[in-house]
Amino acid sequence: LDHFLGTTWRDVVNSVLSRGQKSAVYMPLLYKDWPASREEMVKVIDEKAALDPHFPRFVEYCRDKGYHLEIVSDGLDIYIQHLLARHNLKDIPYTSNRLVFEDGTARVESPFRSEFCGLCGNCKRQRVLAARKTLASCVVYIGDGISDECPAGHSDIVFAKGSLLAYCRESSIQAVPFRDFADILSLFPEVLAEWLQSISVHGSAK
Ligand SMILES: [Zn+2]
C-alpha cells in the first residue's frame, strides 16, 4: 500500500480504528479510485512481498501429521494467490477479500463478511467456528494483527505476535508468543502435547 498510496492510508486506517470500526469500513476506502492495474500490482508483489521462508516447512509438517491447514486473511486474494503459487502451495485453501479489476479501476469485495461481527472484511471467527463444526477437535490459530482478535478467543491454542499478542495479554487469552514459522515449528509439538494433557486432566476430573 505504501507503494501505491504513499503513507496517508495509515491515517485512514487509524481514524477508522479510533471510531471502533475495522476493515469492513477501511478496505473500501483504500481501494476506491485505485490507481494501479492487476499487472502493476503483481509486479510490486514480486518485488516487495515475501512469504515467511519457514512457512513451506510448516505446510509440510501439517501434511505429514494430517493436520488441516487453511489461511484466513483480511487482506487481498491477489497477493495470497501470487505468493502461494510462487512457492508451489496453491492447494492450500484460503479465504480473503477480493480485489476486482474492472474498466481500469479496482474495487474490493468481502464475500466472507459476517453479520454477527460486522467489523471485519473477512471475519476469521467464522472460519474458526466452521473448522470446529466440521473437522477439528483442536483449533490452532496463528496470527499477528487486529483482524485476528475476533477468532483468537474461539481457538484452543493461539500463537500470537504483534498487536494480537498485546490484545491476548489485555484480554486474558492464553497465547504462545512467536517470531516466525521456525518458532512455530519448534514449539508446536510441545504446545499441542500440553493442550492434550490439559484436556485429559479436565476430562478425568469430571
Ligand atoms: Zn470479526
Side-chain angles (χ1 to χ4, degrees):
L1 284 174
D2 280 347
H3 179 91
F4 293 110
L5 302 178
T7 52
T8 50
W9 68 272
R10 291 177 208 278
D11 302 335
V12 175
V13 171
N14 287 333
S15 109
V16 168
L17 292 176
S18 73
R19 295 199 299 269
Q21 296 167 319
K22 289 188 184 177
S23 60
V25 172
Y26 68 67
M27 289 290 268
L29 293 175
L30 297 181
Y31 294 96
K32 201 179 75 166
D33 305 323
W34 182 251
S37 66
R38 177 181 290 276
E39 292 68 31
E40 286 171 270
M41 275 191 89
V42 167
K43 199 171 149 253
V44 173
I45 294 163
D46 269 334
E47 282 165 11
K48 308 204 176 204
L51 210 59
D52 181 323
H54 307 284
F55 182 69
R57 215 152 44 89
F58 180 68
V59 174
E60 208 147 296
Y61 173 79
C62 291
R63 266 184 205 143
D64 282 352
K65 296 282 185 183
Y67 300 152
H68 170 79
L69 171 69
E70 69 176 74
I71 296 171
V72 287
S73 165
D74 203 6
L76 298 172
D77 56 352
I78 184 168
Y79 53 76
I80 298 168
Q81 255 171 24
H82 195 72
L83 289 174
L84 290 180
R86 197 204 280 169
H87 292 270
N88 287 322
L89 299 173
K90 269 205 301 207
D91 52 337
I92 301 175
Y94 73 87
T95 53
S96 73
N97 302 291
R98 290 178 192 151
L99 202 55
V100 183
F101 291 88
E102 233 169 35
D103 305 327
T105 182
R107 66 188 151 79
V108 71
E109 281 181 358
S110 299
F112 300 100
R113 272 186 75 160
S114 114
E115 291 306 315
F116 176 84
C117 160
L119 296 172
C120 312
N122 176 12
C123 190
K124 303 175 180 183
R125 175 183 172 276
Q126 299 301 104
R127 296 308 307 154
V128 166
L129 296 183
R132 190 180 295 293
K133 217 172 181 180
T134 52
L135 30 86
S137 48
C138 176
V139 176
V140 180
Y141 194 89
I142 303 167
D144 66 356
I146 294 162
S147 63
D148 302 309
E149 293 172 4
C150 274
H154 297 274
S155 304
D156 298 300
I157 297 170
V158 178
F159 287 94
K161 67 175 179 176
S163 74
L164 178 64
L165 184 59
Y167 171 82
C168 287
R169 284 176 174 156
E170 278 164 28
S171 317
S172 307
I173 295 169
Q174 229 188 345
V176 183
F178 77 101
R179 282 166 309 182
D180 57 20
F181 273 91
D183 285 348
I184 303 274
L185 272 161
S186 68
L187 293 166
F188 204 95
E190 193 187 324
V191 171
L192 187 61
E194 270 171 31
W195 180 82
L196 286 168
Q197 203 183 5
S198 77
I199 289 297
S200 69
V201 168
H202 189 72
S204 61
K206 270 187 201 167

